[in-house]
Amino acid sequence: MKILRALSAMLVPAFVVLVFTGCTDTQARLHEAHAKVAATLPAPHFEDLVTESVAIEGDRLVLLIRSPEGNAARTRKAPGFETLKESEQYALRELCAQPAITPLIDTDAILVRRFVDRHGAVFFDVELPARACLTPPADAPVQP
């Protein structure tokens, strides 16, 4: 019993240090990536969509992509919406190759693209744990 107490007394602080070190490292790298990405914005995304800004939300690096003409409520009801969302989920892997993002790959960061309309209403979010950049993607979804 004494051995278990002694062992737990040593392991618990070590675990806490590891957890907080990981969080700090992720946060530091998120802030670095944020600064690098923000310096390139606004930037075109696709057709009339514009990557407008980047933010940190916890362990998430969120890129805000605005549609100047779209309407989120109508688009979410349109046929093919889920296919569009799936194709954007697949395309999110493009971020893995960006130099500003590569330092996040071995952290707990989550990459997010948030699509909004001109009024800020959300079409949808797609997200990818940065660690998933190390895994080859599955086959691409069929385009609508």
Side-chain angles (χ1 to χ4, degrees):
M1 191 69 157
K2 276 186 165 181
I3 294 173
L4 286 176
R5 283 188 200 147
L7 187 58
S8 69
M10 292 178 355
L11 290 177
V12 169
F15 177 74
V16 169
V17 167
L18 286 173
V19 167
F20 285 116
T21 302
C23 291
T24 303
D25 192 42
T26 296
Q27 286 300 310
R29 291 190 196 181
L30 275 167
H31 285 280
E32 181 182 335
H34 176 272
K36 288 179 180 177
V37 172
T40 68
L41 301 178
H45 175 69
F46 179 75
E47 293 182 357
D48 67 337
L49 302 177
V50 175
T51 304
E52 207 172 76
S53 63
V54 61
I56 297 172
E57 295 177 0
D59 284 345
R60 298 160 44 106
L61 185 70
V62 181
L63 287 97
L64 185 76
I65 301 172
R66 188 171 305 276
S67 170
E69 300 299 322
N71 178 291
R74 280 195 303 248
T75 301
R76 283 193 303 269
K77 295 175 186 174
F81 174 73
E82 286 304 316
T83 304
L84 170 66
K85 187 175 173 182
E86 287 172 17
S87 69
E88 286 295 342
Q89 179 67 48
Y90 184 80
L92 183 57
R93 286 192 164 272
E94 297 166 357
L95 289 177
C96 296
Q98 291 187 6
I101 301 300
T102 54
L104 296 175
I105 291 175
D106 64 344
T107 70
D108 293 329
I110 298 170
L111 309 174
V112 179
R113 281 183 174 158
R114 177 169 296 145
F115 293 83
V116 299
D117 67 14
R118 65 184 171 268
H119 303 293
V122 177
F123 289 100
F124 58 86
D125 283 3
V126 290
E127 60 183 58
L128 178 74
R131 290 184 193 279
C133 290
L134 299 171
T135 308
D139 291 335
V142 176
Q143 293 291 326

